[in-house]
Amino acid sequence: MSGTTTAAALRRRAAGAGANRWVVLVVLCVSLLLVAVDATVLHVAVPAVTEDLKPGGIELLWIVDIYPLVCASLLILFGTLGDRVGRRRVLLLGYALFGVASGLAALADNAQVLILARALLGVGGAMIMPATLSILRQVFPDRRERALAIGIWSAVAAVGAAVGPLLGGFLLEHFWWGSVFLVNIPLMLVSLPVGRLLLPESKGDGEGPWDVVGALMAAIGLFGVVLGVKRLGGGESAGGLLTVLPLVVGAALLVAFVRRQRRRAQPLVDLKMFARPAFSTSVGCIVLAMLALVGLELIAAQYLQLVLGLSPLETGLRLLPLTFAAMAAGLAGARMLRRFGPRRMVCSGFCLTAFAVLLLTALGRTDDCALMLTGFVLLGFGLETTLFGAYESMLSEAPQEQAGGAAAIGETSYQLGAGIGIALLGTVMNAAYAPGLSGVPGVPESASSSAGHSLGEAYEVASQLGGVAGAALRHAARDAFVHGLHVTLLVSAGLLLLGAVMALRLPRAMQCDGAGAVEVPAPRDAAESRVSV
């Protein structure tokens, strides 16, 4: 056996001691499934929530967007806290909070309570997500095995994205909208004891005090920036105080956070990682990919239900091809990465996704199953190829002792891209949709203004008007929504092509010799059989 093979085997044995690393991967995948299902399960329930709770336009954006907003804001805080107190401990606490918040969301009787519950779900998600990646980085130190593990991990994320709308649609067919949150509780009840028994505990080196002030600065700064973008997405004035103030304060806090981390001997996050082109480029690619994916999924769900008139369950079934294609890309990702390298893989994924998005601009007011199936399959495969290559490159580029910080940055990018994507594409959608409802014959100006908030509200106003005016408003609203969909798709295609250009900075080939590898001393006793990252 060669020296390289022997060293790799030694690293695998040391990292996986105490629990088979593939069993650990299964538990981590269940953790991811818990978060992924909740991120998408609400999409098909938005019309039902709107009808029952009657939220305003801003409240509806908060209901959908507060989860990724809070989660993105707290990832660095909980990721670095896990480095100090133990990643498994933070992960298990996240499970418990996720279950409690899911019960609160299911029983919410007004928009404010639902927003609060979704915020608590975001806190739980922020505790879970960095821990899964950093533990995965620990138990799979060999890059070839880690690439396969990340492929399985990302395929499970695609399963969660599929299960969310499909399960949500099934539940809405038989129960009330709050039942879509109850699916989290059985997963939590299984994950909590199994995770406690099987997951290895791991911590950072623990040198120096934990920078509580820096963690809070990052959390509040991220919250402020995304809050400002959210208000813009809700149609608020760009010069309004409640829009400008969060943006300015959030940006100032993030700048101060960066300066603080550069001065500290033991920073929360080693920002020197961003000086590595592969790391910084991978983070940017994750943001752009999620920005396109989440916003498009939300708009697609509304198109299928409100324009084509499909039921929630039928909507979930229509989105399944996208997810199956993403699963296939995740499972094939390790082989594609070895053959094509990060640069060609991520760049090709962006280009394929942009082509799929442009193809979907042919959708109209009538149902075109063949076009939709082709577009969704290409979209799912392309996006998952992009995300797989970017995540694997990011984790492999970061030194093992900084795996917690790298995982927090990656997941922050993921959630931040999702939050900004909904706000940004929502802004584009609203800007293209609302003008189409002005000057509808027989419709009062006040009714047109209300109908311009969303297609669901336009249908309600049309029902109240009735007669010829109501039918005209309903027809105009559908046409305006389809026009807004086309404009949004074109903007998304432009962002994806920008990502393809950005991906040209990634390495040509997958470097496995020594990449991401560390020296692991032989454990002196059973207590040292688990490697601290």
Side-chain angles (χ1 to χ4, degrees), residues 26 59 87 109 228 241 247 255 262 284 327 351 359 368 379 441:
V26 171
E59 287 180 326
R87 297 172 186 124
D109 58 357
L241 179 64
L247 283 171
V255 170
R262 286 178 174 173
M327 290 169 56
C351 291
L359 187 67
D368 190 336
L379 183 67

Side-chain angles (χ1 to χ4, degrees), residues 143-144 147 334 337-338 340-342 392 507-513:
R143 185 167 185 179
R144 289 185 180 87
L337 187 63
R338 289 195 300 270
F340 300 112
E392 201 283 333
R508 287 181 178 272
M510 177 183 177
Q511 301 294 332
C512 295
D513 294 335

Side-chain angles (χ1 to χ4, degrees), residues 34 37-38 98-99 102 121 180-189:
L34 184 75
V37 166
D38 194 75
F98 216 84
S102 296
L121 283 168
V180 302
F181 294 103
L182 294 180
V183 297
N184 296 328
I185 297 178
L187 282 173
M188 181 276 297
L189 292 175

Side-chain angles (χ1 to χ4, degrees), residues 244-526:
V244 174
L245 186 61
L247 283 171
V248 172
V249 173
L253 283 173
L254 290 178
V255 170
F257 170 75
V258 170
R259 290 182 175 179
R260 181 182 178 87
Q261 297 309 298
R262 286 178 174 173
R263 291 195 307 264
R264 292 182 65 87
Q266 289 87 28
L268 279 175
V269 178
D270 188 356
L271 298 177
K272 294 178 182 178
M273 288 188 292
F274 282 95
R276 304 180 179 188
F279 185 88
S280 56
T281 301
S282 297
V283 170
C285 289
I286 292 170
V287 171
L288 283 174
M290 287 309 301
L291 192 152
L293 173 63
V294 176
L296 287 177
E297 278 193 344
L298 181 61
I299 294 170
Q302 295 180 45
Y303 169 78
L304 292 170
Q305 291 185 71
L306 298 178
V307 175
L308 299 185
L310 302 181
S311 69
L313 180 57
E314 290 171 330
T315 298
L317 290 172
R318 286 296 183 92
L319 293 173
L320 271 181
L322 186 153
T323 305
F324 286 147
M327 290 169 56
L331 294 175
R335 179 174 296 180
M336 288 193 296
L337 187 63
R338 289 195 300 270
R339 181 172 181 179
F340 300 112
R343 180 186 299 179
R344 279 190 291 176
M345 183 175 180
V346 176
C347 186
S348 299
F350 269 124
C351 291
L352 180 61
T353 308
F355 174 76
V357 167
L358 291 173
L359 187 67
L360 290 174
T361 57
L363 293 173
R365 292 181 57 189
T366 57
D367 192 359
D368 190 336
C369 290
L371 175 64
M372 197 177 301
L373 174 63
T374 303
F376 282 174
V377 167
L378 295 177
L379 183 67
F381 194 90
L383 271 172
E384 185 58 30
T385 299
T386 299
L387 286 171
F388 176 91
Y391 260 111
E392 201 283 333
S393 296
M394 182 201 68
L395 281 180
S396 297
E397 187 68 19
Q400 178 144 338
E401 63 272 13
Q402 298 169 8
I409 290 172
E411 292 301 337
T412 299
S413 304
Y414 186 97
Q415 291 296 326
L416 193 60
I420 294 177
I422 292 175
L424 177 61
L425 295 185
T427 300
V428 173
M429 183 71 190
N430 290 338
Y433 164 77
L437 297 180
S438 61
V440 180
V443 178
E445 184 177 348
S446 59
S448 295
S449 178
S450 298
H453 294 155
S454 68
L455 183 57
E457 193 165 344
Y459 284 173
E460 290 185 10
V461 173
S463 299
Q464 294 170 4
L465 288 175
V468 177
L473 179 61
R474 191 178 184 90
H475 184 276
R478 275 201 302 267
D479 286 345
F481 187 90
V482 171
H483 170 69
L485 174 64
H486 292 164
V487 173
T488 305
L489 290 172
L490 290 174
V491 172
S492 298
L495 292 170
L496 291 164
L497 292 176
L498 177 63
V501 174
M502 181 186 299
L504 295 176
R505 299 180 69 230
L506 289 172
R508 287 181 178 272
M510 177 183 177
Q511 301 294 332
C512 295
D513 294 335
V518 296
E519 294 284 340
V520 180
R524 291 189 296 269
D525 52 51

